[in-house]
Amino acid sequence: RSHELAALWEEKAAASNSAVDWFNAGYYFSEINKDFDASITCYDKAIEINPRNAFAWSNKGHSLNNLGRYDEAINHLDKAVEIDPQLADAWNNKGISLDNLGRYGEAIN
């Protein structure tokens, strides 16, 4: 039944048009359903409503990373750390993207 949560959050977000609800829908699509394309759509809506939502930028980067779209992921993760330089998940996911691109020195930094 946990797979149903993403659809329920998406339904709630469509009704509320809340950045938080779109973020939650994206989270469940990504982490529970492993539907990274759907999660990106939700994170885009959260970012459109609140462009300063570092978590949405970071999680979109994470989803892009899971799709093998590493350069795009880095761009989104850079935006997340620009908004919140202390966001450890964004730094970690950027390192993973850089590692996947063979840019090991940058990944370590």
Side-chain angles (χ1 to χ4, degrees), residues 46-75:
I47 290 166
E48 182 180 316
I49 295 165
N50 180 6
R52 303 285 305 157
N53 185 334
F55 291 103
W57 286 99
S58 179
N59 282 28
K60 182 178 177 182
H62 174 70
S63 290
L64 288 164
N65 210 0
N66 279 294
L67 292 172
R69 295 162 56 184
Y70 307 122
D71 288 317
E72 287 179 79
I74 290 168
N75 290 335

Side-chain angles (χ1 to χ4, degrees), residues 8-33:
L8 292 172
W9 273 109
E10 184 179 34
E11 186 177 313
K12 182 176 190 282
S16 71
N17 202 34
S18 159
V20 171
D21 290 343
W22 282 116
F23 175 86
N24 286 328
Y27 176 82
Y28 281 98
F29 275 119
S30 173
E31 300 305 313
I32 304 298
N33 295 15

